[in-house]
Amino acid sequence: MEKPQLIKDGKRLDGRDFDELRPIRITAGVIKNATGSAYLEWGNNKVLAAVYGPKEVFPKHFADPEKAIVKCRYAMAPFSSLEEHGRAGPNRRATEISKVTREVFENVIMLEQFPSTEIDIFIEILQSDGGTRAAGITAASVALANSGIPIRDMPYAVAAGKIGDQLVIDVNKIEDNYSDADVPVAISPNLGRILLLQMDGNLTKDEFSRLLGMVEKAGTKVMAAQRQAIMEMYKQ
Amino acid sequence: MAEIILPGSKIAMQLKSNGTYIENSSTYANVVGLFDDEKKQFIPLEGLWYPKENDNVIGKIETRRSGVYVVDLDSPYKGIIMSKFEHTRFEDGDIVEATVREFREFDDAMSVVLTRPKKLYGGILLKVKPPKVPRIIGRGSTMINQITEATKSSILVGMNGTIWLKGGDINLASEAIKRIEAEAHISGLTDKIKLMLEEKRKKE
């Protein structure tokens, strides 16, 4: 298929600037049965995240007597996308994203406080439009804060990319499919650590460091949305 | 003025309390909480129950196996009652109130060893978030006494966030408790609940 023109008159297809995020809105505490939960709308992405635990490990031989273990399930709903991309059921892509998401949260949850237990994180993509792993991590982070499980920091994630020679932030599905590089990044803002960094495509060293700067700048807006979600739970 | 702090945010002063951790000699929150810089304290708004000696808890008997009753405490850890020390016999599904004796490894798993179990007959259970329990009890039990007085219910509050209610106006009592849970961060709550209870009683 021929590559569509993704940039017209210095704007992207949906009229955004290169460093502009899609609107983000998060609601915390939407699932009462869960220890913590959050619902996120990020542009056309709709994500539900829930956290359960700490609880007894099952099967028992997975238990770690030194610390808690984290289990993460990222899944796309069968109706989440128009194309094959969001096919339901466990597949190579969902398994990979579950793994990298789990590693993000293993680095922030204070696992040593809960030996021989497990913490479950569920991320369900209800509607997808590119950058869902970033959206999932951002939502799960709010769900964790809502759960009261002690965490060192609230991570956020942003998907950055490159279209032609132009670096962009928060790629949507069509940009993602035809971009020259696609870089999801998860950052722990207070610890100043990068917890997830994947790259599909090519970037020069200079482009890469400029892109990271753009991600951090966009991150302040994502953090503000996360903060807003928690604040709304404690309105006076 | 109290301010809401998110996990990972730095707290303006050195502080050792629930819901905080210290790294590189700075204090950070690890749960959502309120920091009051006048009283110099951090009050967690979210959190889990950490078993402490002499905590009163309420749970449900899950199973009985080799000399112990296993109690579901709605926490990461199971409660254990040694049946040889107790005269009362329990059935699966019984509701018990007990005191934490110790928190230790039992049968390859960390367990909460319970003592002085009391069987509770009838009534209903209500779940609240453990950090809100002190607020439901209130300073010197003022809050809980006020609810008991107005509704004539018997209420037992477990530190693990399980509350047992029996008799009286259960609906009103649980409504009041749910409201305290939702508004635990607001000051002057005792008076608000008092007003609410009085209004409801007048209607009847």
Side-chain angles (χ1 to χ4, degrees):
Chain A
M1 214 168 122
E2 205 182 309
K3 184 176 166 177
Q5 194 189 351
L6 294 173
I7 297 176
K8 273 183 191 154
D9 312 324
K11 293 266 184 194
R12 287 150 78 178
L13 281 183
D14 49 6
R16 279 187 290 154
D17 284 328
F18 300 126
D19 59 352
E20 194 178 335
L21 289 166
R22 289 171 283 179
I24 307 175
R25 169 145 185 81
I26 313 176
T27 319
V30 287
I31 302 171
K32 295 290 174 228
N33 283 351
T35 319
S37 58
Y39 171 68
L40 168 143
E41 288 187 10
W42 185 328
N44 287 329
N45 287 320
K46 293 185 179 173
V47 182
L48 203 51
V51 175
Y52 285 79
K55 58 183 188 183
E56 221 175 342
V57 185
F58 189 82
K60 226 174 171 179
H61 66 266
F62 282 141
D64 185 336
E66 307 267 293
K67 59 178 171 55
I69 60 166
V70 179
K71 284 185 185 168
C72 180
R73 176 182 182 269
Y74 163 101
M76 279 183 139
F79 48 81
S80 64
S81 176
L82 292 175
E83 288 159 50
E84 188 237 359
H85 172 70
R87 207 176 51 212
N91 50 38
R92 185 201 59 78
R93 180 176 171 276
T95 311
E96 174 216 327
I97 298 178
S98 301
K99 177 193 176 281
V100 294
T101 308
R102 188 191 77 223
E103 284 168 358
V104 167
F105 290 107
E106 275 175 349
N107 280 298
V108 293
I109 301 175
M110 302 182 112
L111 299 171
E112 63 286 351
Q113 291 194 10
F114 302 100
S116 314
T117 60
E118 82 175 49
I119 294 167
D120 290 346
I121 300 172
F122 298 98
I123 297 168
E124 198 74 28
I125 311 295
L126 303 178
Q127 182 170 295
S128 85
D129 187 21
T132 53
R133 75 187 72 190
I137 290 169
T138 306
S141 175
V142 175
L144 265 172
N146 176 233
S147 72
I149 295 170
I151 48 179
R152 287 193 180 80
D153 200 359
M154 274 177 78
Y156 67 83
V158 176
K162 185 170 104 169
I163 302 170
D165 292 328
Q166 190 59 54
L167 299 177
V168 294
I169 282 294
D170 189 17
V171 288
N172 63 22
K173 183 159 189 302
I174 184 135
E175 290 170 337
D176 187 27
N177 288 4
Y178 296 101
S179 65
D180 298 271
D182 171 21
V183 189
V185 188
I187 291 178
S188 160
N190 295 306
L191 302 178
R193 284 192 203 136
I194 292 177
L195 301 176
L196 165 76
L197 180 61
Q198 294 180 296
M199 185 161 86
D200 203 354
N202 292 314
L203 287 176
T204 65
K205 216 171 168 181
D206 171 55
E207 280 173 336
F208 180 74
S209 51
R210 268 198 294 145
L211 198 69
L212 269 189
M214 284 167 80
V215 167
E216 271 184 90
K217 209 178 129 211
T220 56
K221 291 209 178 100
V222 184
M223 278 155 65
Q226 289 179 319
R227 192 177 173 78
Q228 172 80 21
I230 301 290
M231 288 307 188
E232 267 172 29
M233 290 213 77
Y234 297 105
K235 272 193 297 233
Q236 287 291 332
Chain B
M1 198 35 219
E3 154 191 31
I4 291 180
I5 304 255
L6 261 52
S9 301
K10 199 168 173 176
I11 294 173
M13 53 175 293
Q14 281 269 9
L15 198 68
K16 208 169 176 185
S17 89
N18 265 350
T20 64
Y21 70 99
I22 295 172
E23 205 165 271
N24 299 329
S25 66
S26 303
T27 309
Y28 301 88
N30 62 20
V31 292
V32 180
L34 274 178
F35 177 64
D36 192 329
D37 51 0
E38 282 164 27
K39 290 182 193 156
K40 306 212 181 306
Q41 60 177 352
F42 180 80
I43 307 152
L45 290 174
E46 303 282 354
L48 308 163
W49 173 60
Y50 299 89
K52 274 195 306 288
E53 250 178 73
N54 295 325
D55 271 0
N56 264 341
V57 294
I58 293 169
K60 221 179 210 170
I61 304 278
E62 206 174 70
T63 50
R64 190 193 165 163
R65 55 160 207 249
S66 57
V68 297
Y69 294 106
V70 181
V71 187
D72 178 14
L73 293 175
D74 198 33
S75 94
Y77 307 104
K78 293 278 179 242
I80 296 284
I81 299 172
M82 310 274 183
S83 44
K84 63 177 170 186
F85 297 136
E86 307 303 336
H87 300 295
T88 333
R89 290 286 163 255
F90 297 101
E91 301 287 331
D92 292 3
D94 278 355
I95 299 165
V96 287
E97 188 203 15
T99 311
V100 176
R101 192 174 71 198
E102 53 181 342
F103 179 50
R104 67 170 168 91
E105 200 167 312
F106 186 89
D107 256 10
D108 294 336
M110 290 303 288
S111 304
V112 184
V113 181
L114 300 170
T115 174
R116 296 200 295 278
K118 265 181 266 156
K119 201 191 274 195
L120 301 176
Y121 296 92
I124 59 159
L125 291 182
L126 204 65
K127 300 264 177 226
V128 295
K129 289 189 169 180
K132 321 272 181 178
V133 166
R135 202 80 164 103
I136 288 164
I137 295 170
R139 194 167 293 161
S141 308
T142 44
M143 189 77 93
I144 197 76
N145 287 346
Q146 183 178 298
I147 299 173
T148 320
E149 218 168 273
T151 61
K152 307 277 182 268
S153 301
S154 341
I155 306 174
L156 286 174
V157 184
M159 294 305 283
N160 58 337
T162 308
I163 296 173
W164 178 80
L165 302 154
K166 190 185 177 182
D169 191 347
I170 288 190
N171 287 339
L172 182 57
S174 46
E175 196 183 321
I177 288 167
K178 280 288 169 199
R179 177 149 176 212
I180 300 168
E181 189 194 9
E183 300 180 7
H185 57 289
I186 296 172
S187 53
L189 198 56
T190 316
D191 295 336
K192 273 190 193 169
I193 296 295
K194 194 175 181 181
L195 217 68
M196 170 192 157
L197 291 170
E198 274 170 8
E199 261 171 38
K200 294 269 168 167
R201 268 197 303 178
K202 264 181 209 161
K203 272 182 198 166
E204 280 159 17

